[in-house]
Structures are given as C-alpha cells and as structure tokens.
Amino acid sequence: MVQSASDSTNFSIKQILPVLLAVVSGMFLVILDSTVMNVAIPKLVESFDSSLSMIQWVITAYTLALSAVIPLAGWFSDRFAAKRVFLWSIVLFVIASLLCALAQTPEQLIAFRILQALGGGMIAPIGIATVFKVSPPDKRGSVMGILGIPMLLAPILGPVLSGWLIEYVNWHWIFLINLPVGLFAFWMAWRYIPAAVPQKGMKLDLAGALLAPIAFASLVYSIHQAGDKGWSNEAAIITLAVGVIALLLFIWQELRRKQPLLELRVFRSPSFTHGILLAWTNQIALFGSLLLFPLYLQQVKGLSPLTAGLYVIPQAILSTIGINVGGKLFDKFGIRPVAIAGVASLACGLFTLTQLSAHSSPLYIMASFALVGLGQGLTMMQINTHVLKSAPKELVSRVTPITTAAQQIMSSFGITLTTAYLSRQLRNLPEHHSLEQFGNVFGHTFWITLTFALIAFLLSLFLKKPQASQQNASDRS
C-alpha cells in the first residue's frame, strides 16, 4: 500500500521507493535516448551524407512531437488510468526505437523519431504526477529530487555509451540499446506502479488537441527558419503568423471549456506564472547549450565520439551533487536561494563558454561544462517542484502536462535557436577559414543561451513561496 500524501508522520522514502524506481526507469529510458542523440548528430550527418540543418530535425521533430502528445497525458491518464497509459507508452517507444535503427534515409529517421516521441511523451508527466501524489507535502523536494536520477545518470552514461557504440560498433545501436532498457522499465512499471480506476465521461478537447501542435510546431519552425535565413524569410513570417493565431485560439478554447486539454486557469496564480516563466528561460538556456557541447568537441577539437562523451562526465557529476543538495535545501529554505545559486552557476558556465576558441584547454572546457551541470542539478527538479506546489493539488494531473509540455517546447526552442544560428554563422565563414574562426563561431553562439540565463537569474531574484491558500489546497488530500 502506498503512503498517503497527507500522512507524513514517520514517513520513509522506502515506503514509496518501488514506485519511485518504476517511474525513474521509464524516465531514464526516454532521457537516455535524448543524451545519446546529442553525441550522435555529427556521425548521422556523415552516415546519411546530409547537412547539419537536416539532421537537426531528428532532434527538433522529436521534441515537437513530444510537445504535441504531452498535453494529452492528463486526459489519457484520467480516462484510461495512468498505469495502463504508462505501460503502453513504453511499448510504443521501444517499437519506434527499433524502427529508428532500421532507417535508411534522414526522412525515415525523422518520421520514426516522431513515432518514438508519441510513446515517450507521456512517460514523464504521468510519472511525475504519480510520484507527486504519493509523496507527503513536506517531503516533496527530496522525493522529487530522486526523479532527477535519470537526468543525472543519462548525461553520464548517454554520451559515453553513444560514443563507444558509434566508434566501435555503429550508429544503429544507439537505438537498439533502448530495447533491453525498455523491457526492464516495462517490468518495473507493471510490477510497482499502483493501479488506478479510469474516470468515465471524460471528453477529449479535440479542438485543443489540434490547435496545440499546430501552434507549437509553427512557432518552432518559424524560429528555425529565421535563425537560419533571417526574419525577412517568407516561410519564417508566414509560420510565425500561423503559430501566433493558433496559439491565441488554443488559449481561448482552453479557458472556455469545463474539461480543457490543458488547465490554463492555473496561470491565475502569480506564483505559478512566475515559476513557470523562470523554468522556461532556464530550460532554453540549458538545452540550447547542451547540443553545442558534442558538436564543438567533435568538429572543432577533432575528438572522437567516445572522447567527446568522456568530456561531459564532470558536468554530470556536478549535476548529481546539485540535485541532491538542491532537494534538501529546497525543503529547508524554499525555492529562492536554490534557484538563485543554480541559475547563477549556469550563467557563469555559459559566460565562460562564450570565450571558447579552437585552442581552449581541456581543463577550461570541462570546468565550464561542470558549472553548467551544477546549475542544471540545482534548478531543474527544484523549480518544477515549486511550480507544482504553486497549483491546487486537485489540478496536479492537469498541471504536470503543462510543465512537461512547456519544457519540451522550450527545449526545442533552445535547440532550434542555437543550431540554426550556428549553421548560419558557419555558412558565412570565408571559404578558406582558419580553425580559430571556426572555433569562435561556437563561442559567439553561446551568447544566445547566456542571454536567457541572465533573464532567468533576474526572475529568480523575485521568487516567493506559494501563497498560503494555494499551499493549503496543495497539502490537503
């Protein structure tokens, strides 16, 4: 029997540890795949004889598909029961991974990655909502911190595993590795996630389900085109207009429905709105920079995929320290000091990366990555927990898809912004450019992510604890 969230007397993490490990296994499967892909991009460009801007869509299309399916997680988990949806999501993710390994063209790989995202998109929001519900209110910082384990192990194992497979086997195995991991995650979820009773009479917000992906996909594509070809590009302008109109219609649709796809009324909470704006800017800064790491190491420094993977280990170690310390500090002092310290570390790391050149030393590079990792560990789960605690408890299953969808969308924005800008700057280099000029392009690109980190730092200075009324509502069972 799972510990009730309202009963924190004599609570021990051991009481909900099986549930935690089951959710962590599923999230690890999805996050491992993402970190593996970051290192694989240069190899995929070579293997498919394609361009960086084309292969970038292997990641961007995946994150866009995630953002399209994540809003459905709340409705699916209520209508068909969270455990059942969680299990089927793992099955679809594993089947799509096999198809990715068999892809013969970039277009096929992109299509199968979209299918993969349709499976993986619901795993995180359903898992986070499940753990949040079974955790006592005063222990959620520490408990949710455990969900950061996939975010810590995946950055360590993903790049190293990907580098080894690419260098000594072939790129197909970066997807085939998902099969055994997926089978283990399925068994853990089937064995330990508590069953729930489906809610009858849940109507799907079909208009919202159509408008959301149109809005998000159009906006991301517009940013990609603008970063690659400038804002005078006709496709960028048209898709921007379509995205803005679809987004406004989506918001109007959600606010007028009794059972919306996404519960946007929660934005009436100033604490929630402030927290999610901080999360968005922090995620753009973080994920926009993560893809640049392996590209710089392999293309500028000339490192092998395996060696490039080893370079990011300090980042993962500091992230591990950050998430463990951050969870305890969050429970004791609240979000403000943790967020300030974490975003400041991220900003410092990104500033040092703006000074990158072709001749930067390994120590300088790894120290910069480590600062970014510390910021990642201190902020990611703590800010998300703060956002969830700012919403009424009865809306948690509906709020989690908002925060998770937003994370994927903002991750996609960050990746699109930086890679499109990078591709454009590389094309503008002289035909006979020097290695120094090549390296400086990466340093200049990090200024984009640093800008968002500085905005996040300003937002963190004005953080407050959730209002008493909201907190009480959240703490009631």
Side-chain angles (χ1 to χ4, degrees), residues 86-401:
F86 194 89
L87 289 171
W88 276 109
S89 296
I90 293 175
V91 170
L92 180 56
F93 187 89
V94 171
I95 292 173
S97 296
L98 177 60
L99 292 174
C100 286
L102 300 175
Q104 300 297 310
T105 66
E107 291 79 11
Q108 288 180 8
L109 182 57
I110 291 170
F112 295 144
R113 284 280 288 169
I114 291 173
L115 183 62
Q116 197 181 38
L118 297 180
M122 294 193 190
I123 291 175
I126 292 175
I128 292 172
T130 299
V131 172
F132 195 85
K133 288 177 180 177
V134 302
S135 307
D138 60 341
K139 299 293 183 182
R140 283 176 181 154
S142 299
V143 172
M144 297 295 281
I146 295 176
L147 289 187
I149 291 175
M151 298 180 184
L152 307 176
L153 292 179
I156 295 175
L157 296 178
V160 176
L161 180 62
S162 175
W164 185 83
L165 290 173
I166 290 170
E167 195 166 341
Y168 296 105
V169 192
N170 56 58
W171 67 265
H172 304 276
W173 275 93
I174 65 176
F175 296 108
L176 293 175
I177 197 67
N178 290 337
L179 274 62
V181 178
L183 288 174
F184 176 76
F186 182 90
W187 181 82
M188 288 290 293
W190 175 78
R191 179 72 175 82
Y192 294 113
I193 288 183
V197 179
Q199 298 181 24
K200 302 298 182 183
M202 297 293 296
K203 295 182 178 180
L204 175 62
D205 176 12
L206 186 58
L210 292 174
L211 286 168
I214 292 173
F216 301 148
S218 297
L219 290 172
V220 170
Y221 184 79
S222 173
I223 291 173
H224 174 268
Q225 289 297 101
D228 193 26
K229 299 178 181 178
W231 279 108
S232 60
N233 178 262
E234 184 177 348
I237 297 172
I238 292 174
T239 51
L240 176 63
V242 170
V244 170
I245 293 171
L247 182 61
L248 292 175
L249 288 173
F250 173 71
I251 294 172
W252 177 76
Q253 165 72 8
E254 298 309 281
L255 291 177
R256 61 189 285 270
R257 285 186 63 92
K258 291 183 179 179
Q259 294 181 347
L261 187 68
L262 292 180
E263 186 53 80
L264 299 184
R265 296 176 186 87
V266 75
F267 281 94
R268 292 171 181 169
S269 161
S271 182
F272 178 89
T273 302
H274 189 169
I276 205 165
L277 287 174
L278 169 60
W280 289 354
T281 51
N282 184 65
Q283 285 154 3
I284 292 174
L286 178 62
F287 289 98
S289 62
L290 291 183
L291 183 59
L292 297 177
F293 294 175
L295 289 175
Y296 165 80
L297 291 171
Q298 293 181 58
Q299 296 188 353
V300 179
K301 302 298 286 185
L303 302 180
S304 68
L306 177 58
T307 306
L310 295 174
Y311 263 65
V312 301
I313 289 180
Q315 171 201 339
I317 292 174
L318 266 290
S319 183
T320 304
I321 295 172
I323 203 164
N324 280 284
V325 173
K328 295 175 182 177
L329 292 177
F330 176 86
D331 286 337
K332 189 172 183 179
F333 300 108
I335 184 59
R336 188 171 180 270
V338 181
I340 290 175
V343 179
S345 176
L346 174 62
C348 289
L350 292 176
F351 174 74
T352 60
L353 289 170
T354 63
Q355 309 304 306
L356 275 183
S357 71
H359 306 293
S360 297
S361 69
L363 180 61
Y364 183 91
I365 295 168
M366 287 188 283
S368 300
F369 290 176
L371 279 173
V372 172
L374 179 61
Q376 176 186 10
L378 287 172
T379 58
M380 286 294 292
M381 292 307 299
Q382 281 65 248
I383 293 176
N384 285 342
T385 305
H386 166 75
V387 169
L388 290 176
K389 291 182 74 172
S390 302
K393 183 185 175 185
E394 63 271 15
L395 295 178
V396 167
S397 67
R398 291 292 182 169
V399 171
T400 307

Side-chain angles (χ1 to χ4, degrees), residues 46-75:
E46 176 188 334
S47 297
F48 286 109
D49 191 22
S50 185
S51 64
L52 174 61
S53 59
M54 178 66 176
I55 296 299
Q56 170 209 329
W57 282 100
V58 173
I59 292 179
T60 302
Y62 176 84
T63 53
L64 282 176
L66 281 180
S67 67
V69 73
I70 285 172
L72 295 171
W75 181 83

Side-chain angles (χ1 to χ4, degrees), residues 38 52-53 56 59-60 220 223-229 281-296 299 350 353-354 409-427 441-453:
N38 287 347
L52 174 61
S53 59
Q56 170 209 329
I59 292 179
T60 302
V220 170
I223 291 173
H224 174 268
Q225 289 297 101
D228 193 26
K229 299 178 181 178
T281 51
N282 184 65
Q283 285 154 3
I284 292 174
L286 178 62
F287 289 98
S289 62
L290 291 183
L291 183 59
L292 297 177
F293 294 175
L295 289 175
Y296 165 80
Q299 296 188 353
L350 292 176
L353 289 170
T354 63
I409 295 164
M410 295 305 151
S411 301
S412 184
F413 279 167
I415 292 169
T416 300
L417 276 170
T418 53
T419 53
Y421 178 83
L422 178 67
S423 297
R424 186 179 182 184
Q425 295 303 305
L426 291 175
R427 286 201 307 270
V441 167
F442 282 84
H444 295 159
T445 305
F446 277 108
W447 281 104
I448 296 176
T449 55
L450 175 60
T451 300
F452 282 96

